[in-house]
């Protein structure tokens, strides 16, 4: 990694268990290829990156804290995957191509088996998404993972939250409620790593290809991280518009009703969070083309409502309004007040 800004306690930094040793063993990728845009990567005070000519840089950062954003006993490889996935999801919502990432890892102690699994999960998603790890930090303290991602988009092409217009259709990729359902099952003791709801919760898939495919069609976008209603609220706040939803149209994650019952399943889809699907505004004349582009990626697109001039949200019951907010005591799957 590129920065060692805090001490490693009594462990010498050059030892196998010191920060430099851990970086060398777990977080130093092979030399980047000629198309990676990395002039200088891990091992110096800073990285030197080479954005493509004529592209805008898209940057986002997220922090994952043990016991808040993921269960403390979650599999280490899932924690590594998830830490990167939630940041990449922000790039997907902007229609950006992922390029690079930085990772700051704070650990209470050195657990080599955990580090091996964590780095394996992180690295696998980085490779699958074309994201080069180019630096970061390892230090001692309460376990937390900070990931900064960087991507590229053509000037003026980025999807934003504020572009929606009255009459645009509200649509969502994939299926909803898997994050909430997965956490509910985890808390009830389910540990089958192949259960579809646990897969959705522990190993979410950032919709990078979908975001890029919808550039030029969608007028607004946001990723569903805090819950459908909360994230739709963020989008409406930026546009100054309102919306009507059809809750019966929500695409529910596989096995959700069987696991939670229909009422709780629909509540998880509306307020649960941790789904990391894309919530979009699309002109009606673009919906068929948008569906065709996503179908080529094996991903469905479901219309669940419409933007309207009148502010406010219609079509949902008051008790289903909510979503995650830090410091406000309203919780969602994966996070505690």
């Amino acid at each position: 990694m590129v920065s060692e800004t805090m001490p490693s306690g009594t462990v010498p930094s050059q030892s196998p268990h010191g920060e430099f040793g851990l970086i060398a063993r777990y977080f130093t990728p092979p030399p980047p290829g000629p198309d990676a845009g990395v002039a200088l990567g891990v091992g110096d005070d800073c990285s030197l990156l080479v954005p493509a000519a004529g592209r805008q840089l898209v940057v986002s950062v997220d922090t994952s804290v043990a016991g808040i954003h993921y269960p403390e006993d979650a599999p280490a490889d899932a924690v590594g995957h998830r830490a990167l996935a939630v940041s990449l999801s922000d790039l997907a919502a902007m229609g950006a191509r992922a390029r690079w990432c930085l990772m700051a890892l704070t650990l209470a102690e050195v657990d080599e088996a955990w580090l091996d699994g964590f780095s394996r999960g992180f690295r696998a998603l980085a490779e699958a998404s074309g994201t080069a790890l180019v630096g970061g930090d390892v230090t001692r303290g309460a376990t937390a993972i900070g990931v900064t991602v960087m991507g590229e988009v053509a000037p003026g092409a980025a999807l934003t939250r504020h572009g929606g217009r009255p009459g645009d259709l509200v649509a969502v990729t994939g299926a909803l409620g898997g994050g909430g359902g997965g956490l509910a099952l985890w808390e009830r003791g389910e540990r089958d790593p192949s259960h579809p709801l646990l897969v959705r919760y522990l190993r979410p898939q950032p919709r990078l290809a979908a975001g890029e495919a919808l550039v030029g069609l969608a007028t607004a976008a946001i990723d569903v991280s805090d819950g459908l209603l909360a994230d739709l609220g963020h989008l409406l706040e930026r546009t100054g518009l309102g919306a009507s939803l059809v809750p019966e149209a929500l695409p529910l994650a596989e096995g959700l009703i069987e696991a939670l019952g229909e009422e709780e399943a629909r509540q998880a889809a509306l307020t649960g969070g941790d789904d990391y699907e894309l919530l979009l505004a699309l002109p009606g004349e673009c919906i068929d083309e948008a569906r065709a582009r996503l179908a080529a990626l094996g991903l469905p697109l479901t219309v669940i409502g419409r933007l309207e001039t009148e502010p406010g949200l219609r079509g949902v019951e008051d008790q289903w309004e909510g979503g995650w907010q830090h410091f406000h005591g309203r919780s969602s799957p994966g996070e505690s007040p």
Side-chain angles (χ1 to χ4, degrees), residues 1 7 12 26 46 48 64 89-90 114 131 133 136 161 175 188-189 213 224 236 243 251 253 267 279 289 295 314 330:
M1 315 284 249
Y26 297 106
C46 293
L48 299 178
S64 297
S89 185
D90 289 332
W114 188 92
T131 307
L133 177 63
R161 299 181 182 184
R188 296 173 191 176
V224 181
L236 295 180
Q267 185 166 351
L279 178 64
E289 175 63 22
R314 290 160 288 281
R330 176 173 270 177

Side-chain angles (χ1 to χ4, degrees), residues 204-273:
Q205 298 301 315
R207 302 304 189 186
L208 288 162
E212 288 192 77
L214 293 173
V215 168
L217 296 180
T219 56
I222 186 173
D223 71 321
V224 181
S225 56
D226 298 329
L228 177 69
L229 294 185
D231 291 312
L232 177 58
H234 299 325
L235 191 149
L236 295 180
E237 182 178 6
R238 290 299 304 274
T239 61
L241 300 174
S244 289
L245 286 186
V246 183
E248 296 78 14
L250 297 180
L252 302 182
E254 178 187 354
L256 189 62
I257 292 179
E258 292 80 357
L260 303 184
E262 185 167 357
E263 182 74 10
E264 191 177 345
R266 293 197 178 278
Q267 185 166 351
L270 284 166
T271 67

Side-chain angles (χ1 to χ4, degrees), residues 11 17 22 25 47 54 74 80 86 115 127 148 153 155 178 190-191 202 204 214-215 231 242 280 298 312 316 332:
V11 180
H17 290 172
L22 296 178
R25 181 168 183 178
S47 297
V86 300
L115 277 166
E127 292 174 356
T148 298
V153 69
E190 176 63 67
R191 293 296 185 270
L202 293 173
L214 293 173
V215 168
D231 291 312
L280 306 145
V316 294
S332 74

Side-chain angles (χ1 to χ4, degrees), residues 3-337:
S3 172
E4 299 80 29
T5 59
M6 298 180 66
S8 301
T10 59
V11 180
S13 63
Q14 295 289 358
S15 79
H17 290 172
E19 56 192 291
F20 301 128
L22 296 178
I23 290 167
R25 181 168 183 178
Y26 297 106
F27 303 113
T28 300
D35 298 326
V38 181
L40 182 65
V42 174
D44 225 294
D45 287 307
C46 293
S47 297
L48 299 178
L49 307 178
V50 187
R55 307 286 281 187
Q56 291 181 325
L57 188 64
V58 186
V59 182
S60 182
V61 63
D62 275 288
T63 301
S64 297
V65 179
I68 301 294
H69 299 92
Y70 62 89
E72 294 186 57
D73 56 344
D77 62 326
V79 176
H81 171 104
R82 201 175 189 282
L84 179 57
V86 300
S87 286
L88 289 176
S89 185
D90 289 332
L91 295 185
M94 301 290 288
R97 175 192 173 199
R99 296 295 309 276
W100 312 286
C101 68
L102 303 168
M103 191 265 290
L105 178 61
T106 304
L107 296 172
E109 59 184 6
V110 174
D111 180 334
E112 292 195 26
W114 188 92
L115 277 166
D116 182 70
F118 174 87
S119 61
R120 186 171 62 251
F122 191 100
R123 184 169 55 249
L125 181 57
E127 292 174 356
S129 61
T131 307
L133 177 63
V134 295
D137 189 25
V138 175
T139 190
R140 175 171 289 179
T143 302
I145 310 140
V147 178
T148 298
V149 290
M150 290 162 276
E152 295 177 340
V153 69
L159 303 178
T160 68
R161 299 181 182 184
H162 63 262
R165 298 167 296 190
D168 283 352
L169 300 176
V170 177
V172 65
T173 62
L176 299 171
L183 178 62
L185 291 187
W186 185 273
E187 292 178 336
R188 296 173 191 176
E190 176 63 67
R191 293 296 185 270
D192 178 2
S194 67
H195 193 291
L197 295 180
L198 289 192
V199 172
R200 289 294 304 266
Y201 171 57
L202 293 173
R203 294 177 172 82
Q205 298 301 315
R207 302 304 189 186
L208 288 162
E212 288 192 77
L214 293 173
V215 168
L217 296 180
T219 56
I222 186 173
D223 71 321
V224 181
S225 56
D226 298 329
L228 177 69
L229 294 185
D231 291 312
L232 177 58
H234 299 325
L235 191 149
L236 295 180
E237 182 178 6
R238 290 299 304 274
T239 61
L241 300 174
S244 289
L245 286 186
V246 183
E248 296 78 14
L250 297 180
L252 302 182
E254 178 187 354
L256 189 62
I257 292 179
E258 292 80 357
L260 303 184
E262 185 167 357
E263 182 74 10
E264 191 177 345
R266 293 197 178 278
Q267 185 166 351
L270 284 166
T271 67
D274 280 334
D275 282 319
Y276 301 101
E277 298 290 352
L278 299 184
L279 178 64
L280 306 145
L282 286 152
E285 63 270 21
C286 294
I287 193 69
D288 288 342
E289 175 63 22
R291 280 177 167 154
R293 292 185 186 184
L294 295 195
L297 302 173
L299 190 65
L301 180 68
T302 304
V303 174
I304 60 172
R306 186 180 299 271
L307 295 184
E308 299 173 341
T309 303
E310 181 184 355
L313 183 61
R314 290 160 288 281
V316 294
E317 300 175 19
D318 290 342
Q319 65 265 32
W320 279 357
E321 296 181 8
W324 170 253
Q325 293 187 62
H326 282 284
F327 310 113
H328 281 214
R330 176 173 270 177
S331 62
S332 74
E335 306 185 272
S336 303

